[in-house]
Amino acid sequence: MSEPVAPNDIVPDTEHRGLTARLPQRPRDLAQLARFDRPIGWWLLFWPCVWGVWLAGAGWQLALLGWMLLGSIAMRGAGCVYNDIVDAKLDRQVARTASRPVASGRVSKKLAWGWLLALSFVGLVVLLQLRFEAQLIALASLVLVAAYPFMKRITWWPQAWLGLVFTWGLLVGWTQLRTDNLDALAAMYAGAALWVIGYDTIYALQDREDDALVGIRSSALRLGGHVTGGVALFYAGAVTLWALAFWLYRADWVALLALIPAAGHLAWQVATLDSGDPANPLERFRSNRWTGALVAAACFVVGNA
């Protein structure tokens, strides 16, 4: 386990920056509660949606992707609000999350529930743009989302549950356009889940000391001194399963070359990961927006070439 992080080195969970910093206090608190100041979350939720749409082979589908982007922003925000309501007591005991609006008392739980409903209404508007089969798939994710905040209390691998949740848009995007080739879809989804376990293990490195003290479980704690090797295995498994998905979709070894840029980027993350530097894990975690973009490009090539 790494040395305890000095208080001055802690990267805060919510930050006053960008448009959020210009808002009055109450709207700013609500924006931070939904993590609008940290767009990496909705990027990571959105990219699997793009994978499902582009691998399905129906072209750009920009209007559909626009709706799915709006849904990703709204539902990621709703998920964060729900998570903060459930975890308020735990968040107060972790240095990085103690300043969150609900944990700090700046936003009441009553107001937080109202904000959650407002964001969910936006998600409902997006849901109504989908065909019936895709709507059913999207609604099924709510069970996983509702259970996620409790996983850190009962398992050392809440990241595995997050892997199921954060890649669900892949299934929705695919089902909106087609319902065949389910073997390729399953392999793509399994690989995406391993990708999430890898990057969220990197993210959890920031909280290892506090998590251990308050009893929060995580893959970063479970792996102990083997985090880098564990992340490498998860990423390798993700690339392998994505390659299998491409092969099941199109049995052409040339198609597999499309994954080389994404695989190279993941290898860079592993090779440069430094758990002793407080800023390093967060930077590596955030760089997965580029992983998502690179895999999306590969899906478009394989699905539409």
Side-chain angles (χ1 to χ4, degrees), residues 174-188:
W174 178 277
T175 307
Q176 174 67 11
L177 298 171
R178 60 192 299 173
T179 55
D180 59 342
N181 284 98
L182 296 183
D183 51 353
L185 177 62
M188 198 71 197

Side-chain angles (χ1 to χ4, degrees), residues 172-260:
V172 177
W174 178 277
T175 307
Q176 174 67 11
L177 298 171
R178 60 192 299 173
T179 55
D180 59 342
N181 284 98
L182 296 183
D183 51 353
L185 177 62
M188 198 71 197
Y189 179 62
L194 289 181
W195 173 54
V196 174
I197 297 173
Y199 72 58
D200 203 55
T201 297
I202 293 175
Y203 186 75
L205 285 171
Q206 301 173 94
D207 300 328
R208 285 202 297 187
E209 284 74 26
D210 283 345
D211 285 352
L213 288 173
V214 302
I216 296 175
R217 301 179 181 186
S218 75
S219 54
L221 282 173
R222 190 70 181 93
L223 289 169
H226 304 288
V227 167
T228 299
V231 171
L233 285 175
F234 290 128
Y235 280 171
V239 173
T240 300
L241 285 166
W242 291 336
L244 174 62
F246 285 5
W247 184 263
L248 291 171
Y249 185 87
R250 174 174 297 179
D252 182 353
W253 68 269
V254 176
L256 304 184
L257 299 178
L259 282 171
I260 291 177

Side-chain angles (χ1 to χ4, degrees), residues 45-58 61 64-65 68 130-131 133-135 137-138 167-179 185:
L45 192 62
F46 174 62
W47 281 125
C49 301
V50 182
W51 302 353
V53 170
W54 282 355
L55 189 60
Q61 295 290 324
L64 172 60
L65 291 180
M68 299 191 85
L130 305 176
R131 69 174 181 167
E133 294 86 349
Q135 289 177 351
I137 295 294
T167 56
W168 200 261
L170 170 68
L171 307 181
V172 177
W174 178 277
T175 307
Q176 174 67 11
L177 298 171
R178 60 192 299 173
T179 55
L185 177 62

Side-chain angles (χ1 to χ4, degrees), residues 101-153:
V102 175
S104 65
R106 298 196 313 275
V107 172
S108 68
K109 287 191 176 182
K110 182 178 180 180
L111 179 58
W113 278 113
W115 183 219
L116 172 61
L117 290 175
L119 291 167
S120 298
F121 178 76
V122 177
L124 176 62
V125 172
V126 175
L127 181 72
L128 294 176
Q129 311 308 311
L130 305 176
R131 69 174 181 167
F132 181 68
E133 294 86 349
Q135 289 177 351
L136 292 179
I137 295 294
L139 287 172
S141 70
L142 296 180
V143 176
L144 298 175
V145 172
Y148 170 67
F150 303 98
M151 292 299 109
K152 67 187 71 173
R153 297 166 170 83

